[in-house]
Amino acid sequence: MQRSLVGSEMCIRDRSNIMTPFVAEFLGTMLLILMGGGVVANVCLSKTKGHGAGWMAITTAWALGVFIGVVVAGPYSGAHLNPAVSIGLAIGGTFFWCDVFQYIIAQMLGAALGALLVWLVYKDHFEATDDPDTMLGVFCTSPAIKNPAINFLTEAVGTFALMFVVFYITGGELSLKDSNSTLPIGLGSVGALPVAFTVWVIGLSLGGPTGYAINPARDLAPRCMHAFLPIKGKGGSQWGYAWIPVLGPIAGAAVAAMSVSYTHLRAHETTLH
């Protein structure tokens, strides 16, 4: 999700390095879902040490999951970890459309593996849980009150906020005295913090109605795993709702990208005049 790390420099890389953008997106997204799905399992499934820890624990762990995913993937892929981010950056002109498909595939596969690992770690607790909806909630989102229009709007607004902030995350630099040049400040892993805090506040503020998927891969791939895995006593995967956490985030990201592009265009026109 680090905007400064996407663009043409992704095409200039050491081909001998196994950590390609595809692998980076795969591993970063896997870590995101492992931590995010893991905290939901810990809080919601029966007989866990963290049972009943609440919404603050869930939103915090999701934010920290974003942090570690960005730390791992950032230097190699820009750490999108989210198809909506990849599409939004492409619409905004800061990422190549030809790379979008491979990023989305990597994100989906990584999310699927993360969900599988969560199930394996908490397998005994899935078997100790009787409520099918609780089991499903470990894998994917569902609305607190089913209202497709409002649910779609909620996902779009949340992702708009995420994408809008992503466009304005910039690297730090110092202006040198008596010079027009600048000196970059290497923040290293601290550069992942703005995205993590953004996801955290979105969860705390806008997560109530739908569980804030704000990421098609985060919801769709684990939902598929829920459908395929032999989970004792599971119910349906709520496929009738599945389109909302996929299309809602993409719509929100697209609107954010177009808004930022328009704002920059107007600012440029004002400067020229």
Side-chain angles (χ1 to χ4, degrees):
M1 293 182 185
Q2 294 173 314
R3 181 171 172 256
S4 61
L5 294 174
V6 297
S8 60
E9 61 266 36
M10 289 296 98
C11 294
I12 306 172
R13 53 183 177 259
D14 181 5
R15 296 289 180 176
S16 65
N17 190 343
I18 193 173
M19 194 63 135
T20 63
F22 184 93
V23 174
E25 287 294 305
F26 172 79
L27 293 176
T29 310
M30 180 273 290
L31 289 170
L32 166 62
I33 300 304
L34 179 61
M35 299 303 135
V39 72
V40 177
N42 192 24
V43 170
C44 298
L45 295 180
S46 298
K47 299 182 180 181
T48 66
K49 296 290 187 179
H51 184 75
W55 191 245
M56 180 61 75
I58 290 174
T59 56
T60 302
W62 271 109
L64 294 176
V66 170
F67 176 82
I68 65 172
V70 173
V71 166
V72 169
Y76 305 97
S77 70
H80 300 185
L81 315 183
N82 183 340
V85 170
S86 299
I87 292 171
L89 290 174
I91 292 173
T94 61
F95 186 64
F96 290 122
W97 277 107
C98 61
D99 287 331
V100 169
F101 181 72
Q102 69 158 325
Y103 268 53
I104 292 176
I105 294 299
Q107 292 154 4
M108 290 291 291
L109 292 175
L113 177 58
L116 173 62
L117 292 175
V118 170
W119 175 66
L120 290 173
V121 169
Y122 283 95
K123 189 174 185 299
D124 291 342
H125 300 278
F126 274 100
E127 293 179 356
T129 301
D130 296 326
D131 183 19
D133 289 339
T134 299
M135 299 183 204
L136 178 64
V138 174
F139 291 88
C140 54
T141 63
S142 60
I145 298 176
K146 190 174 181 179
N147 183 332
I150 297 298
N151 301 151
F152 182 93
L153 178 65
T154 301
E155 289 293 330
V157 170
T159 313
F160 173 90
L162 170 64
M163 197 70 228
F164 202 80
V165 172
V166 165
F167 272 109
Y168 283 95
I169 294 176
T170 58
E173 58 183 24
L174 290 174
S175 296
L176 300 180
K177 188 176 181 180
D178 301 325
S179 173
N180 292 326
S181 59
T182 59
L183 177 67
I185 303 173
L187 296 179
S189 298
V190 180
L193 283 174
V195 179
F197 275 112
T198 301
V199 171
W200 194 12
V201 73
I202 290 171
L204 290 172
S205 303
L206 302 174
T210 62
Y212 76 115
I214 60 173
N215 181 341
R218 170 264 177 274
D219 194 274
L220 182 58
R223 194 183 297 270
C224 291
M225 295 306 293
H226 174 269
F228 296 146
L229 288 173
I231 304 171
K232 180 181 177 181
K234 71 175 181 180
S237 300
Q238 296 188 15
W239 290 107
Y241 177 77
W243 66 275
I244 289 177
V246 172
L247 298 184
I250 292 174
V255 172
M258 290 185 287
S259 299
V260 170
S261 297
Y262 177 77
T263 301
H264 287 175
L265 177 63
R266 294 294 296 170
H268 180 65
E269 291 176 348
T270 301
T271 302
L272 292 177
H273 289 86

